[in-house]
Amino acid sequence: MTATLAEREAALAEIAEGIRKCTRCELHRTRTNAVPGEGPADARIMLIGEAPGWNEDKQGRPFVGAAGKFLEELLAKAGLTRDQVFITNIVKSRPPGNRDPLPDEIAACIPWLERQIEVIDPDVIVTLGRFSMAQWFPGERISRIHGQPKRVGRRLIVPMYHPAAALHQQSLKATILDDFAKLPRILAEAEAARREEEASDEPPPSQMAMF
Ligand code: URA
């Protein structure tokens, strides 16, 4: 049975509470705040970055620094605002000095992300950067597959460059802007697939008449 919006909000709040108290990896010792993520519980698009940076750790919110500002510009390119999408990270606590997250930190944190995906059930997941990309495209290179959606079940997973990479490398800026401009078409395709699946799940009219 499909959960109501209120039930999904409550489930997400419970997950966020678990993340804030989580001690499954060593990052809990050095973080100021864990960063569960934010956005509507019924968002159709979920964006998954790498890990909180300095600003995110201080505020407990994802993508609030320079990369976040650019992410808002990218979303605008797709006709979206940040309050329409769910934004989170593969690792919910800041690695010291913004180093790359370690494999055991990712492994410890991934069950939180899996629960968030289950509750939100988005039509489209956008991975930002190589760490979230690797969950769905192991061994792939972002330079080869960026902007190309892959179907997983009825969901579309779209690998994108990390906004911070484009901030530091001007040549990537046009590429990532073009990739985000494709999002409305990708979302429409994923929504159509969901509607088709939902329609095929409904019992045929003759069977419905029996009840
Ligand atoms: N970079 C990320 O990957 N995530 C954030 O939340 C901020 C910067």
Side-chain angles (χ1 to χ4, degrees), residues 35 48-53 56 61-65 67-68 87-89 128 162-164:
V35 182
I48 308 175
E50 182 178 317
E56 290 77 19
R61 296 182 55 212
F63 282 97
V64 288
I87 306 176
T88 189
N89 287 299
L128 301 169
H162 195 288

Side-chain angles (χ1 to χ4, degrees), residues 6-161:
E7 284 167 343
R8 290 158 94 177
E9 284 169 349
L12 276 188
E14 193 188 316
I15 294 167
E17 211 31 52
I19 292 170
R20 290 193 191 96
K21 291 189 196 137
C22 184
T23 57
R24 287 183 200 162
C25 80
E26 290 301 300
L27 295 179
H28 80 275
R29 296 188 191 282
T30 46
R31 73 181 176 219
T32 314
N33 292 292
V35 182
E38 64 189 24
D42 58 353
R44 295 297 82 216
I45 300 180
M46 187 167 181
L47 297 145
I48 308 175
E50 182 178 317
W54 191 87
N55 290 289
E56 290 77 19
D57 174 72
K58 289 284 168 282
Q59 294 185 39
R61 296 182 55 212
F63 282 97
V64 288
K69 247 193 137 30
F70 184 43
L71 182 60
E72 285 169 25
E73 200 182 310
L74 292 166
L75 286 168
K77 190 80 184 169
L80 295 163
T81 55
R82 70 179 281 153
D83 55 1
Q84 292 177 299
V85 296
F86 193 89
I87 306 176
T88 189
N89 287 299
I90 195 109
V91 164
K92 317 292 195 199
S93 301
R94 180 186 183 224
N98 292 355
R99 64 156 169 77
D100 287 349
L102 302 173
D104 65 318
E105 292 160 354
I106 294 173
C109 214
I110 209 86
W112 294 121
L113 180 66
E114 286 170 350
R115 287 183 60 193
Q116 289 174 319
I117 293 172
E118 199 183 315
V119 170
I120 298 164
D121 192 21
D123 292 318
V124 173
I125 290 178
V126 177
T127 63
L128 301 169
R130 64 198 162 104
F131 291 97
S132 50
M133 179 183 78
Q135 294 304 312
W136 286 275
F137 304 87
E140 265 296 358
R141 295 177 71 85
I142 185 79
S143 56
R144 206 183 75 77
I145 63 166
H146 66 88
Q148 298 171 40
K150 168 167 112 171
R151 183 170 297 286
V152 177
R154 61 150 190 80
R155 194 170 281 148
L156 290 178
I157 317 293
V158 198
M160 303 272 201
Y161 280 104

